[in-house]
Amino acid sequence: MHADTENTDRTGEAVAHDDRAGRVNGPDADRAARRDEAVRAAVEQGLLGPDVPLVGLLDVTGVRESAAELRAAFEAVAAPGTSVLHAFAVKAAPLVPVLRLLHAEGVGAEVASPGELALARTAGVPPERTVLDSPAKTPGELREALALGIAVNADNPQELDRLDALVQEAPGTASPLGIRVNPQVGGGTIEALSTATATSKFGVALRDEGAREWVVRAYLDRPWLTRLHTHTGSQGIALSLMARGVAEAYELAEEINRRAGRQQVDTLDIGGGLPVNFASDATSPTYEQYARLLKDTVPGLFDGRYGLVTEFGRSLLAKHGTLLTRVEYAKRAGGRPVAVTHAGVQVATRTVYAPGAWPLRIAAYDAKGRPKEGPDVVQDVAGPACFAGDLLARGQALPLLEQGDHAAALDTGAYYFAHHYAYNSLPRPGVYGFVPDGAGGVSFAVVRRAQTIEEIVTESGGDHPDALTPGLAP
C-alpha cells in the first residue's frame, strides 16, 4: 500500500485507502474475494433472481475475524487478568443468528429495548454478559433487568431514583449498576450520532453546573453503584475525541474512589463507536489502533484496577455485509444512465435521506454474478420506492449497469438489511450467512427468510378489515 494514499474520511481520522490500482492486501483482499464468490454463488444457487430481486449476504468468516481482532486488541494492552466484556450493540444488527454467532466468538450484548433484550436472550447470551443502556427505561424494564442480573447504566437522576426503590425491593440482585455520564467533549461530523455534545440527550451532563458533584455524591451515598459508563458517539467521531471522552470518565472514577476511600467504581463501560471506512475495502481505523491510543491517552485504564466493558456495533459487522439486487431496468434521464433496482429506502434509509453523511460504494456484477468489466460510467443507482430521492447512489462511476445485471451495496452488514423501513409496503429481504465450503464453492445458511406478501397484509391490519367500517360506525 502506498504511503501517500492516506486520506481523511468522515471519521475525522487519517485512513489508509486502497493503493492507486484500487487493490487491498491481506485480510481486506481476502474479504473482497469472498464477497465476489458469494455474489456469484448466490446467483447460481438461485438465492436471488427475477422473483427474488434483493438479498442480504453476511460473511461469517469476516465476522469471526473482527471479533477475534477486537479481543486481541484489548488483550494486548491490558494487564494480565483484566476483566473485559465486549458487548455487541444489538441495534447494529438485531438478528438472533448474528447474536448467537458473536456469543460463540466471546462477545456479549448491549441492549436498549425489551425487544433487543429478548433477541439476546433467545440467542443464548447470558445475563452476566448483557448490558442495558436505554435512555427511556420503564419501571418494568428495570425490574426485569434486576431480576435477571443484567447490568444497568442509569441515564439520569430520575432513573436513579427508580433504581433506589427497586434495589430495596430486590436487595440481592446480581446486576452491576452504574450511571451514564456525558463528558461534553464535543461532536463529530455527523451530529445525529454525536452523543457527547453540550446538549446531548444521553447521560448526566458533567459540565453543567453542579452535575459533577451530584454524580460523586450519588456514588458516595450508594455503595451498590460500582460502574461508570460513557459513550462519545460512533460514525463521524474522531478516535482522539473518543479517547478524550474515556479519559474524562476515568478521571471521574478516580475522583469517586479517592473520595470514597476505597475502590467503589470497579468497572468502566467505555461504550463503542469505532468508525467504519466506507470509502474503500480497507479496514481503518482498527481496533488495535484504538486500543493503543486509549493506552497512550489513559494508561491507568489498563493497569488491572478496573474491569472494562465495550459496546462496539457497526465496526464488527459493516464490512461483512452486502446488499445484492437485480437491475430491473436500465434507462437514461437528462443524459445520465439510471439503473433501477430493488434496493432503496427500505433497506438503506440513512443513505437515501442523508446521502452526504452515508454514501455507499456500489459494485457492478453481470447477470451471472461475476464482477462486471468495462470502463467506468457515471450513473445513478435507484431504488423501487415511489419518490424521486430514492437513490442508492448518485453520480457514481462504475461499469455501466444494464438490465439483468446486479448491483451490490457494500459495507452494509450493520444498520442496513436488518433495519427495514416499510415504505410502499416493500417486503423485508431475506438474509443469508455464507462461508467457503472448502471445495471452491460457497455454502449459505438462512439468517432471516424474506417477508411474504401475506405477512405484510397481516402486519397492516389484514386480520381486522372491518375495524373502522362498520366497527366504529355511528
Side-chain angles (χ1 to χ4, degrees):
M1 185 173 291
H2 296 277
D4 60 358
T5 58
E6 197 168 85
N7 206 336
T8 300
D9 75 352
R10 301 191 316 277
T11 70
E13 295 292 327
V15 171
H17 286 258
D18 314 41
D19 69 17
R20 292 185 181 91
R23 295 181 296 266
V24 289
N25 300 305
D28 294 331
D30 293 342
R31 183 180 63 245
R34 287 195 303 270
R35 179 180 66 223
D36 286 348
E37 286 301 306
V39 170
R40 177 192 54 77
V43 174
E44 288 181 353
Q45 296 180 33
L47 268 61
L48 79 165
D51 296 325
V52 185
L54 174 65
V55 295
L57 303 178
L58 188 65
D59 180 357
V60 174
T61 302
V63 175
R64 287 178 171 145
E65 290 175 348
S66 284
E69 290 162 4
L70 171 58
R71 296 195 312 270
F74 278 76
E75 288 169 0
V77 297
T82 300
S83 172
V84 182
L85 168 63
H86 298 295
F88 175 68
V90 173
K91 58 184 171 289
L95 297 166
V96 170
V98 171
L99 305 183
R100 177 70 67 91
L101 171 64
L102 289 169
H103 173 47
E105 296 300 316
V107 179
E110 182 266 335
V111 301
S113 73
E116 289 184 358
L117 175 56
L119 295 177
R121 296 188 69 190
T122 302
V125 182
E128 64 270 19
R129 299 187 64 78
T130 305
V131 181
L132 176 62
D133 276 335
S134 164
K137 310 176 194 73
T138 66
E141 292 170 42
L142 291 170
R143 187 174 288 107
E144 179 185 24
L146 295 185
L148 292 172
I150 290 170
V152 176
N153 293 312
D155 180 81
N156 56 70
Q158 293 173 15
E159 187 175 328
L160 188 58
D161 289 341
R162 286 182 173 175
L163 281 176
D164 282 335
L166 292 171
V167 167
Q168 291 181 9
E169 293 178 13
T173 180
S175 293
L177 303 174
I179 296 175
R180 177 171 182 169
V181 295
N182 170 10
Q184 294 175 295
V185 292
T189 60
I190 303 177
E191 182 179 0
L193 299 188
S194 300
T195 56
T197 59
T199 57
S200 170
K201 74 176 188 179
F202 291 102
V204 177
L206 275 184
R207 298 185 184 182
D208 283 12
E209 184 177 357
R212 188 183 187 93
E213 180 62 21
W214 178 88
V215 171
V216 174
R217 290 305 320 174
Y219 279 83
L220 298 181
D221 293 343
R222 297 168 178 83
W224 43 266
L225 284 175
T226 60
R227 287 192 174 185
L228 186 64
H229 173 45
T230 192
H231 177 59
T232 302
S234 53
Q235 196 68 18
I237 302 294
L239 297 193
S240 56
L241 190 64
M242 292 170 60
R244 280 180 53 200
V246 173
E248 292 283 344
Y250 171 81
E251 292 299 331
L252 178 58
E254 293 281 271
E255 179 181 349
I256 292 168
N257 290 340
R258 184 170 58 250
R259 290 177 60 176
R262 59 187 178 86
Q263 184 160 2
Q264 179 172 338
V265 177
D266 60 22
T267 301
L268 289 170
D269 183 336
I270 62 173
L274 189 73
V276 169
N277 166 31
F278 286 90
S280 78
D281 276 323
T283 300
S284 182
T286 65
Y287 292 121
E288 180 183 10
Q289 289 169 334
Y290 181 47
R292 293 196 178 281
L293 176 62
L294 285 176
K295 176 78 169 181
D296 292 341
T297 306
V298 199
L301 188 69
F302 297 104
D303 65 11
R305 291 178 299 123
Y306 291 98
L308 298 175
V309 178
T310 72
E311 300 175 358
F312 296 104
R314 179 183 293 106
S315 56
L316 277 165
L317 286 186
K319 286 203 163 290
H320 309 305
T322 302
L323 271 168
L324 183 62
T325 180
R326 275 173 53 87
V327 177
E328 194 68 41
Y329 301 111
K331 55 193 292 187
R332 300 183 73 88
R336 175 177 290 182
V338 180
V340 181
T341 78
H342 293 268
V345 72
Q346 85 280 25
V347 286
T349 313
R350 283 174 168 171
T351 294
V352 169
Y353 286 134
W358 298 102
L360 286 174
R361 290 181 298 137
I362 306 298
Y365 295 87
D366 66 19
K368 293 185 177 181
R370 301 169 302 192
K372 191 155 190 188
E373 303 293 336
D376 284 349
V377 176
V378 174
Q379 58 197 290
D380 291 348
V381 182
C386 287
F387 67 98
D390 186 31
L391 297 172
L392 198 61
R394 303 164 187 247
Q396 193 160 138
L398 64 157
L400 184 64
L401 288 166
E402 300 171 288
Q403 187 176 35
D405 285 343
H406 297 88
L410 309 183
D411 306 329
T412 48
Y415 295 104
Y416 281 91
F417 47 63
H419 295 71
H420 193 71
Y421 174 39
Y423 199 101
N424 280 148
S425 296
L426 292 163
R428 290 187 295 270
V431 178
Y432 298 85
F434 68 87
V435 295
D437 65 7
V442 178
S443 295
F444 293 96
V446 176
V447 174
R448 184 190 67 199
R449 295 196 180 279
Q451 187 181 30
T452 67
I453 297 300
E454 292 75 18
E455 289 169 335
I456 293 175
V457 172
T458 298
E459 290 185 2
S460 301
D463 291 340
H464 314 283
D466 296 325
L468 303 181
T469 57
L472 293 179

